Amino acid sequence: MAYRMDFLIYRLGDIMGAIVTFFLWQAVFLSSPRTNLNGFTVQEMTLYVFLSFFTSQLSYSDGAWALGDEVKDGSVAMRLLKPVNFNATFLFNELGGKSVAIGMLSVPIFGGVLLYQFLHPATVSFSFINFALFLLSSIFAYFINFYFNLCYGFTAFVFQNLWGANVLKSAVVAFMSGSLIPLSFFPPAIGHLLSLLPFSSLIYTPVMIYLGKENTSQILIAFAIQVVWLLIFMGLSKLIWRYTITRLNVQGVKKVGTTI
């Protein structure tokens, strides 16, 4: 029962975060004499806020936290002893929990987005093609985030405790992914630079595709950027794993020092 309540409260916190951001942007638009800010109307920004929160759940990966905790308490040793692929165990652990979380958030968040589009068809109409491309981009976003977090989590084998570094990483990724502020609100040079980094592929790219703000060539470039970053992080994860496994040091309740 305690785990159920913890899970429900955690999901409620996600929804409350989206609602707070919605009212913040409402205040921004109401205080401005213009109806269009950096390419967004107030209706489009409303959709952007809730879609970005929904997309953040689709692309979320806690591999760095999980790996950091297991290295810290020593339980990673048991995972290493199992005759299965180390990275795949984290991947399928995540997919199980993610399917439940997404199932619970799809009704209140994405259902609300569809209802809002139905009520404002002249502003942002629903496009099945954009929805399909949004899902494909979100899948790329998840795997980019998974392998990025895996690379980041491997550093726990060296630094032993990643709690503080994970907090800093989460804040930087949230800012640079466009989940808090769309990249079009940044100065053009900075916005262009951020769009080339992997973090924009996690949230900003899928959401902009769904809203229909990308033309065909921009969508192709966005997918190319996602594929390139996915291949880079997949390759990096293998390289870092080969390096860290040769100097593995596990700690825990029973002090264990193992070098493989």
Side-chain angles (χ1 to χ4, degrees), residues 48 172-179 181 183 199-200 202-205:
Y48 184 93
V172 171
V173 170
F175 179 74
M176 300 178 76
S177 65
S179 67
I181 304 172
L183 300 190
F199 310 113
S200 66
L202 304 183
I203 294 176
Y204 184 74
T205 296

Side-chain angles (χ1 to χ4, degrees), residues 103-134:
M104 291 190 65
L105 289 176
S106 293
V107 174
I109 298 295
F110 194 68
V113 167
L114 292 176
L115 178 62
Y116 192 83
Q117 286 185 284
F118 176 76
L119 296 175
H120 301 84
T123 306
V124 181
S125 58
F126 177 80
S127 167
F128 182 78
I129 295 177
N130 288 345
F131 175 68
L133 293 173
F134 163 79

Side-chain angles (χ1 to χ4, degrees), residues 36-84:
N36 190 304
L37 296 178
N38 293 66
F40 284 86
T41 63
V42 65
Q43 291 85 4
E44 290 172 333
M45 183 55 74
T46 300
L47 289 178
Y48 184 93
V49 168
F50 287 100
L51 272 172
S52 65
F53 272 88
F54 183 68
T55 309
S56 69
Q57 295 301 315
L58 292 177
S59 63
Y60 177 74
S61 174
D62 65 350
W65 289 94
L67 187 52
D69 288 343
E70 289 194 8
V71 171
K72 185 179 177 181
D73 63 21
S75 58
V76 71
M78 296 305 297
R79 188 186 291 270
L80 288 167
L81 292 175
K82 297 176 182 176
V84 293

Side-chain angles (χ1 to χ4, degrees), residues 81-207:
L81 292 175
K82 297 176 182 176
V84 293
N85 184 281
F86 184 80
N87 296 351
T89 59
F90 279 100
L91 175 63
F92 287 101
N93 280 349
E94 277 195 3
L95 290 179
K98 179 178 288 294
S99 60
V100 177
I102 292 174
M104 291 190 65
L105 289 176
S106 293
V107 174
I109 298 295
F110 194 68
V113 167
L114 292 176
L115 178 62
Y116 192 83
Q117 286 185 284
F118 176 76
L119 296 175
H120 301 84
T123 306
V124 181
S125 58
F126 177 80
S127 167
F128 182 78
I129 295 177
N130 288 345
F131 175 68
L133 293 173
F134 163 79
L135 288 180
L136 179 60
S137 181
S138 297
I139 292 172
F140 279 125
Y142 169 70
F143 282 105
I144 292 171
N145 205 18
F146 172 76
Y147 283 105
F148 166 72
N149 274 278
L150 208 56
C151 293
Y152 198 84
F154 283 153
T155 60
F157 289 123
V158 179
F159 300 113
Q160 306 298 323
N161 191 343
L162 285 185
W163 187 88
N166 270 326
V167 173
L168 175 63
K169 185 259 299 176
S170 299
V172 171
V173 170
F175 179 74
M176 300 178 76
S177 65
S179 67
L180 301 176
I181 304 172
L183 300 190
S184 59
F185 280 73
F186 288 88
I190 296 177
H192 180 67
L193 175 63
L194 293 179
S195 69
L196 298 176
L197 297 180
F199 310 113
S200 66
S201 297
L202 304 183
I203 294 176
Y204 184 74
T205 296
V207 174

Side-chain angles (χ1 to χ4, degrees), residues 19-32 41-43 45-47 49-50 116:
I19 293 174
V20 169
T21 307
F22 162 72
F23 282 111
L24 177 64
W25 279 107
Q26 287 287 314
V28 170
F29 274 85
L30 289 175
S31 63
S32 173
T41 63
V42 65
Q43 291 85 4
M45 183 55 74
T46 300
L47 289 178
V49 168
F50 287 100
Y116 192 83

